[in-house]
Amino acid sequence: MSRALAVFTLLAVTMTAGPVFAEEVGCVSTNIRMLGLANDKVCIDSFRDPKVDGVVCHVSRAKTGGVKGAIGVAEDTSDASIACRQIGPITIKGDLKDGEDVFRENRSWLFKKLQVVRFFDKPNNTLVYLSYSDKLVDGSPKNAISTIPIMPWATH
């Protein structure tokens, strides 16, 4: 009975929403699927860091189409790219913890996630955002970073 409870708890935690909701910017088709099924795509989303005002990040990643993609059981690849920029005065709200989640998205119906975590490089006064994919059994070393030096924001 305790093993079933552990599996249920793991599923519940895995299926919960990540720390931030993203807004879709757009998608392009990369592979046309026959029979009117969903195409494979590369999609771009934007999100803001919940603890740092004045920062926006854009993440691009592959989405698998076809029958499995259409019904939500496809496992997407671990490929992703990230770009974060200062878009206003930077205000840090609370303590920043290195490796703290700022974005998470399921990449398969069960155990694979795309994550973005933040680090604060204090000696260089720079925010560092790392995107990577993890999987319960076999993670991927594919990753990307984006850095934002914290600079004064000019006001006119």
Side-chain angles (χ1 to χ4, degrees):
M1 183 68 175
S2 64
R3 185 172 186 184
L5 181 59
V7 169
F8 176 76
T9 302
L10 179 62
L11 286 173
V13 169
T14 302
M15 300 305 272
T16 58
V20 171
F21 293 101
E23 293 183 28
E24 185 176 286
V25 174
C27 297
V28 295
S29 291
T30 60
N31 182 26
I32 297 173
R33 299 283 182 145
M34 296 299 163
L35 306 174
L37 298 173
N39 293 339
D40 294 343
K41 301 176 187 177
V42 172
C43 295
I44 303 166
D45 286 341
S46 70
F47 64 90
R48 296 183 185 234
D49 187 327
K51 283 194 173 178
V52 182
D53 286 339
V55 169
V56 66
C57 294
H58 293 88
V59 174
S60 68
R61 70 267 181 269
K63 285 192 171 185
T64 303
V67 174
K68 287 183 177 182
I71 62 173
V73 296
E75 182 174 316
D76 295 320
T77 68
S78 297
D79 302 303
S81 179
I82 186 167
C84 299
R85 299 293 183 262
Q86 181 176 358
I87 58 166
I90 290 183
T91 305
I92 297 173
K93 301 181 278 187
D95 292 330
L96 299 183
K97 296 179 179 91
D98 280 344
E100 185 172 20
D101 279 349
V102 293
F103 175 81
R104 184 181 308 158
E105 176 185 71
N106 288 333
R107 303 298 286 151
S108 73
W109 71 276
L110 199 49
F111 295 116
K112 187 175 185 181
K113 295 183 301 287
L114 169 66
Q115 295 186 79
V116 176
V117 295
R118 175 201 343 93
F119 294 86
F120 182 39
D121 177 3
K122 289 179 187 175
N124 296 302
N125 203 33
T126 300
L127 296 166
V128 180
Y129 293 86
L130 167 68
S131 68
Y132 68 98
S133 182
D134 70 355
K135 191 173 178 181
L136 185 63
V137 176
D138 184 24
S140 171
K142 294 181 180 181
N143 63 82
I145 67 166
S146 186
T147 62
I148 302 174
I150 300 176
M151 307 287 281
W153 193 257
T155 58
H156 300 284

